Amino acid sequence: MSKQVIEGHQLPSFWERNRRSHGYLLRREARSKAYKFFRFLLLFAICFLILHPILDKLSVSLMEERDLYDSSITAIPRHVTLDNYRITSEQIYYPKALLNTLWISVLVAVLQVAACTLVGYGFGRFEFPLKKLWFAAVILIIIVPPQTISTSLYLRFRYFDIFGIVKLFNKGEALNLRGSSIPYYLMSITCMGLKNGLYIFMLRQFFASVPQSLEEAAYVDGCSVFRTFWQVILPEAVPVIVSCLLFAFVWQWTDTFYARLFLGGNTLLSMQVSGIADRIGNYFSTQLGIQTSLGRRQQFVSTATLMVVAPLLLVYLFAQKSFVESISTSGMKM
Amino acid sequence: MSGARARGRHLNVRTHRAIYGYLFILPFIVGFLAFLVWPLFHSLWMSFCQVDIDAAGFHPNFIGIANYSKAFTVDPEFNKLMSDEIFRIVTHTIAILVISLMIAIILNQEFKGRAFVRAIFFLPVILSSGVLVGLETNNSLMQSIQSAIQDNASFQLSDSVMNILRLSGLGTGILDVVGQVISEVQDIVMASGLQIIVFLTGLQGIPGSLYEAADMEGCTRWESFWKITFPLISPLLIVNIIYSVIDFFMKTDNEVMTKINETMVINMDYGFASAMAWIYFAVVIVIIGIASLIVSKGVVGSYE
């Protein structure tokens, strides 16, 4: 209700204006206040719902065992300990798994996004026969559930062979590529990894929106197509590419589907967490001779989950804008 | 003469560009044929087969539609899991669209802490693909742990509340309903991070002058939502529907997918697993197809 000054005249007081408008001003003001209040309430409730699982895990992971059974403790632990982290770290080989996951996630993200950038540029900037058909194919790779092709891929890589050549040299037996990561790298550089259709889509949207004149100027100066792409267009696309990289990185980090299918030979965080409850049970019964309660095991699952997502939260904290803005700039329209 | 030459060069440039276009999308074409089309047809073929496995490789033997009839008539749980899943996909997708549009509209308004709230709403996208959200429902052990903990906790907390409810004649069932609703809402909010941003982008693209004009003409907010906002962002509905539906593939609490994976990895029954995966795929295509039809004919069409 700050008094505004218009051309040197002071506005009459709020109540005066309210009287003149026959109570309309007060009603409007009240309605807007009430709306703001409910908006705050709604946003707060939803934020709470989203953050609750994380906060809950954080509080549980810091508790000593006796705090778990104390019904007077709901959120804030009374006896804070980092033992859970230490034990979990040992059990899931945290340092090793962390490095492995980091390495594979970075590598896979770079391979996937590099391939998708090329493809997105092709779709966004060039006219060629059957372009619509190929773009429909991009939509198809988005909507085919990976599970539908996983049976075939699984068998294909389990008994890997190219026209019988491998069998010839390997005593009549096909090569087992299931434990190796090579098939997945192959799929990554050919845009068939996790949610790659989405990256192609986003990058195509972006490249299609770059002004034509940029390229034309480069062509007039005698740049080849590839050099134009590399030196003129790519620098423009850095923000979108970075955000695709971030998506590829975080989604690869938490992925268990492809990890189970292809990356079984590596110690990965997402895979380690899946078996943590049983491993903790074993550890306590064989090493210390103690039976662990369900709640105690759940506590370790929470701890492990937090340890897996902590690096992602860190990345998100610093690169939050990048994640969101890519979707905004690329528009995501069909 | 010169015109013909110019046309010749023009064609040349076009073929030149076309060749480069194909060069750029070559990785995709290779991947698409090798890792999608081929496995897709292979798994379709396997779904009609009994797949035997030995050291030398795998041998599909054609058995007709036995796998499909097994899924629909013999298997005790597939029908139920599938219909539950379809129900969940449809209801959740609709709920996600409504909630994400609502939140996007709120986030499009000016208020303090908007960037912070937006960041939190987007957080589940970063953590989504499974570990954090899905682990609890991942296996039966976890489920029993969860229910054990929940039983204990809710009993202590809600004893007095239950008394009040009992006295007022409502019964304690209402508490379960409330709990269920909250967890459903949580599921839906967790799944709508990307959709919110997509809608928000669409909303920010609508010029404010449209609303001002509508306001001048005496439109209420409700009317200008249906006359301006909704038609202009309805092209984004399809994007969000597709994204919401495909998001279900990778959810770890998707029981159909869990069953498919188990059939494949533990029972090694590749034919049956393929058949179930194909049924799921067909259902997804039908859902997306119907949704696109409704949006393009019903929603977008009615404003043209």
Side-chain angles (χ1 to χ4, degrees):
Chain A
M1 274 153 268
S2 64
K3 285 182 183 166
Q4 287 173 319
V5 180
I6 299 169
E7 291 171 16
H9 295 287
Q10 255 192 352
L11 271 173
S13 79
F14 176 78
W15 293 111
E16 172 63 17
R17 282 186 291 149
N18 182 41
R19 196 181 56 76
R20 281 191 208 164
S21 68
H22 302 286
Y24 170 75
L25 195 59
L26 181 66
R27 279 204 304 276
R28 200 188 66 180
E29 200 69 7
R31 210 159 41 200
S32 129
K33 280 265 152 38
Y35 172 72
K36 277 180 186 156
F37 177 71
F38 279 112
R39 184 175 67 189
F40 169 78
L41 217 61
L42 183 75
L43 291 179
F44 183 82
I46 294 177
C47 285
F48 179 76
L49 277 183
I50 292 173
L51 292 179
H52 177 253
I54 301 173
L55 298 176
D56 191 44
K57 286 185 172 62
L58 186 65
S59 100
V60 166
S61 72
L62 290 171
M63 285 180 187
E64 272 182 32
E65 194 178 356
R66 55 188 155 154
D67 280 17
L68 285 177
Y69 311 122
D70 188 341
S71 59
S72 66
I73 297 173
T74 52
I76 299 164
R78 193 167 296 150
H79 306 95
V80 177
T81 172
L82 287 175
D83 270 4
N84 301 324
Y85 285 94
R86 192 177 49 75
I87 296 171
T88 312
S89 172
E90 276 168 23
Q91 290 301 307
I92 63 174
Y93 309 107
Y94 191 64
K96 188 181 159 203
L98 187 71
L99 279 180
N100 269 340
T101 311
L102 191 67
W103 161 239
I104 286 194
S105 300
V106 168
L107 183 66
V108 165
V110 168
L111 291 178
Q112 287 181 350
V113 175
C116 290
T117 307
L118 290 176
V119 175
Y121 184 64
F123 276 118
R125 285 321 246 190
F126 293 89
E127 289 304 323
F128 45 86
L130 301 179
K131 186 174 161 181
K132 285 225 167 85
L133 181 83
W134 288 117
F135 200 66
V138 175
I139 307 294
L140 189 68
I141 70 166
I142 296 178
I143 63 170
V144 170
Q147 285 87 347
T148 307
I149 55 171
S150 71
T151 45
S152 171
L153 288 176
Y154 185 88
L155 287 178
R156 182 77 356 202
F157 290 124
R158 169 64 186 80
Y159 303 100
F160 187 76
D161 210 344
I162 307 168
F163 305 124
I165 300 168
V166 178
K167 253 181 207 170
L168 214 61
F169 292 101
N170 201 20
K171 301 168 203 145
E173 275 188 29
L175 208 57
N176 184 358
L177 278 184
R178 204 173 90 72
S180 104
S181 332
I182 296 164
Y184 193 53
Y185 297 149
L186 272 179
M187 285 175 74
S188 292
I189 55 167
T190 53
C191 311
M192 290 297 136
L194 181 65
K195 294 189 180 171
N196 280 14
L198 212 63
Y199 311 146
I200 296 182
F201 199 87
M202 280 164 64
L203 286 157
R204 181 200 86 126
Q205 290 306 97
F206 175 80
F207 285 126
S209 72
V210 175
Q212 199 97 45
S213 50
L214 257 180
E215 269 174 332
E216 274 162 12
Y219 291 146
V220 168
D221 287 344
C223 258
S224 71
V225 172
F226 286 114
R227 212 171 139 205
T228 310
F229 170 67
W230 186 253
Q231 292 194 331
V232 179
I233 303 293
L234 218 48
E236 293 286 311
V238 165
V240 184
I241 292 174
V242 166
S243 67
C244 281
L245 274 173
L246 287 171
F247 275 119
F249 176 77
V250 297
W251 281 337
Q252 184 61 41
W253 188 280
T254 52
D255 166 65
T256 50
F257 178 78
Y258 286 99
R260 197 166 288 152
L261 208 53
F262 298 119
L263 306 172
N266 303 288
T267 316
L268 292 181
L269 281 176
S270 57
M271 299 301 293
Q272 292 294 312
V273 172
S274 311
I276 180 75
D278 296 332
R279 209 172 306 159
I280 286 291
N282 279 341
Y283 169 76
F284 274 98
S285 59
T286 55
Q287 302 282 313
L288 310 168
I290 311 169
Q291 283 297 314
T292 40
S293 69
L294 289 177
R296 182 87 167 130
R297 286 194 211 179
Q298 172 71 16
Q299 187 184 18
F300 283 104
V301 173
S302 300
T303 314
T305 310
L306 270 187
M307 288 168 81
V308 171
V309 298
L312 297 184
L313 291 176
L314 208 67
V315 170
Y316 186 58
L317 204 65
F318 288 109
Q320 182 258 323
K321 272 227 163 106
S322 245
F323 277 106
V324 180
E325 265 166 19
S326 65
I327 303 168
S328 311
T329 50
S330 60
M332 286 285 272
K333 275 194 192 123
M334 290 234 168
Chain B
M1 175 79 189
S2 67
R5 258 183 71 187
R7 205 179 306 132
R9 257 184 74 186
H10 180 68
L11 272 180
N12 262 340
V13 171
R14 271 183 65 172
T15 33
H16 194 69
R17 295 285 290 175
I19 290 168
Y20 273 111
Y22 265 101
L23 271 181
F24 273 109
I25 68 163
L26 192 63
F28 172 74
I29 295 178
V30 172
F32 180 69
L33 295 178
F35 299 119
L36 194 94
V37 173
W38 201 86
L40 206 57
F41 280 110
H42 188 227
S43 90
L44 183 63
W45 165 241
M46 282 203 300
S47 72
F48 293 107
C49 291
Q50 170 79 41
V51 184
D52 298 317
I53 294 181
D54 58 36
F58 54 96
H59 316 285
N61 300 314
F62 187 72
I63 51 166
I65 58 159
N67 283 322
Y68 288 91
S69 54
K70 184 179 169 191
F72 285 125
T73 57
V74 181
D75 194 89
E77 47 177 18
F78 182 74
N79 277 332
K80 192 179 175 323
L81 291 181
M82 196 69 221
S83 52
D84 283 356
E85 188 62 24
I86 294 172
F87 180 74
R88 203 166 72 117
I89 291 179
V90 173
T91 51
H92 274 216
T93 304
I94 293 170
I96 286 171
L97 289 181
V98 173
I99 288 193
S100 59
L101 180 54
M102 205 172 78
I103 293 176
I105 287 173
I106 293 177
L107 287 184
N108 199 29
Q109 299 159 351
E110 298 280 332
F111 60 90
K112 260 187 214 161
R114 187 171 69 155
F116 177 72
V117 173
R118 196 179 65 170
I120 289 181
F121 281 9
F122 199 69
L123 188 61
V125 179
I126 309 301
L127 309 174
S128 72
S129 312
V131 181
L132 186 70
V133 185
L135 199 70
E136 284 88 354
T137 44
N138 213 356
N139 53 50
S140 52
L141 172 75
M142 282 300 121
Q143 255 164 358
S144 62
I145 291 174
Q146 267 234 317
S147 58
I149 289 174
Q150 270 166 359
D151 283 350
N152 280 334
S154 65
F155 187 70
Q156 287 157 350
L157 280 174
S158 57
D159 231 12
S160 53
V161 182
M162 277 182 184
N163 273 334
I164 298 171
L165 286 173
R166 210 174 289 130
L167 287 174
S168 61
L170 281 167
T172 51
I174 200 161
L175 213 67
D176 293 340
V177 175
V178 170
Q180 230 167 2
V181 167
I182 288 177
S183 88
E184 286 285 308
V185 169
Q186 187 171 29
D187 268 6
I188 288 159
V189 169
M190 287 278 199
S192 33
L194 208 91
Q195 289 88 328
I196 292 173
I197 303 294
V198 171
F199 276 139
L200 192 56
T201 311
L203 289 176
Q204 280 163 353
I206 302 175
S209 55
L210 281 180
Y211 292 104
E212 278 164 31
D215 205 28
M216 291 289 195
E217 302 288 337
C219 261
T220 60
R221 284 219 183 150
W222 182 246
E223 279 170 332
S224 59
F225 170 78
W226 286 107
K227 296 255 152 62
I228 300 171
T229 315
F230 195 67
L232 281 176
I233 58 156
S234 53
L236 296 176
L237 281 176
I238 281 292
V239 180
N240 276 347
I241 289 173
I242 291 181
Y243 189 80
S244 309
V245 172
I246 63 163
D247 221 20
F248 277 94
F249 299 162
M250 285 309 195
K251 282 200 178 142
T252 34
D253 56 347
N254 184 335
E255 288 181 43
V256 179
M257 291 310 191
T258 315
K259 185 173 165 61
I260 293 172
N261 283 343
E262 272 173 12
T263 312
M264 187 174 94
V265 178
I266 299 169
N267 304 343
M268 310 248 276
D269 192 347
Y270 295 95
F272 187 40
S274 305
M276 289 191 294
W278 264 90
I279 295 170
Y280 188 93
F281 180 35
V283 165
V284 164
I285 287 193
V286 169
I287 292 177
I288 291 181
I290 292 175
S292 329
L293 213 67
I294 293 173
V295 171
S296 62
K297 288 269 149 50
V299 181
V300 181
S302 67
Y303 289 101
E304 275 164 4

